[in-house]
Amino acid sequence: MSDNTVKENSVASVHYTGTLPDSGEVFDSSEGRDPLTFLVGHRQMIPGFEEEMMGATVGERREFTLTPERAYGDRDDEAVLQIPRENFAPLEEEAKLEVGMQLVAQMPHGPSPFTIVELTEEIVTGDFNHALAGKSLTFSVEVVELRDASEEELAHGHVHGPGGHHH
């Protein structure tokens, strides 16, 4: 029998709202959707989120603010790249490129989302930083369900079944 707190190798289902502390703007929320279910201790969540939820019980609500180091990291100026505009020719046949547009580049290590921050005739400047990099984030989190992970889930490193990962 588990002691029903959020701990390593437990499966936690939570409702959460994430806001930017400076503006109070909501950047993500599970309200009106299924709760977020994750396997604790397997790096599925940003580090500070799990740390702050450790020991919480079902029905408990916690609020906390994470500094960038404990969330999506600091902004990296080297992650702002200049890409020849001709690389976007196939895309431009279908859509007009605009500053602020989010696209995905196929990089050697896999798909990388980026935001267009500047456009000239020849160059597209893309910012590959996570949209929330360099920001402090405030979370309000309520634990709605807790259970121990199955051996299969532990072996695979993620949740199976409802609200989880399906193969």
Side-chain angles (χ1 to χ4, degrees):
M1 198 54 210
S2 74
D3 60 1
N4 266 350
T5 63
V6 174
K7 62 184 183 305
E8 191 92 10
N9 295 333
S10 61
V11 173
S13 297
V14 298
H15 269 302
Y16 67 94
T17 299
T19 54
L20 301 175
D22 308 340
S23 62
E25 176 197 342
V26 174
F27 63 82
D28 195 11
S29 175
S30 66
E31 298 304 322
R33 301 196 304 235
D34 290 334
L36 170 73
T37 300
F38 65 98
L39 182 56
V40 179
H42 289 258
R43 303 177 62 104
Q44 294 182 328
M45 307 297 293
I46 54 177
F49 189 95
E50 284 199 345
E51 289 165 11
E52 294 290 340
M53 292 309 295
M54 286 298 187
T57 55
V58 172
E60 184 176 344
R61 180 180 282 279
R62 289 190 178 180
E63 296 206 17
F64 48 89
T65 298
L66 303 177
T67 56
E69 305 77 72
R70 299 179 69 208
Y72 289 98
D74 286 316
R75 286 184 53 79
D76 177 4
D77 292 337
E78 290 181 9
V80 179
L81 303 178
Q82 297 196 323
I83 306 161
R85 189 155 181 166
E86 65 210 34
N87 293 9
F88 294 91
L91 182 73
E92 291 214 74
E93 288 172 15
E94 293 172 23
K96 186 171 169 297
L97 294 183
E98 291 174 17
V99 169
M101 192 180 262
Q102 291 195 319
L103 300 170
V104 176
Q106 298 303 326
M107 304 291 265
H109 60 270
S112 292
F114 69 96
T115 303
I116 297 176
V117 288
E118 199 181 328
L119 280 173
T120 66
E121 293 294 311
E122 277 104 46
I123 298 289
V124 174
T125 305
D127 185 347
F128 286 82
N129 283 290
H130 190 286
L132 297 170
K135 292 181 161 60
S136 290
L137 308 178
T138 298
F139 287 94
S140 173
V141 187
E142 183 184 357
V143 181
V144 290
E145 195 182 333
L146 281 171
R147 63 176 174 80
D148 290 336
S150 68
E151 284 180 25
E152 186 187 20
E153 287 172 327
L154 293 176
H156 289 213
H158 54 234
V159 176
H160 291 214
H165 180 91
H166 302 276
H167 285 283

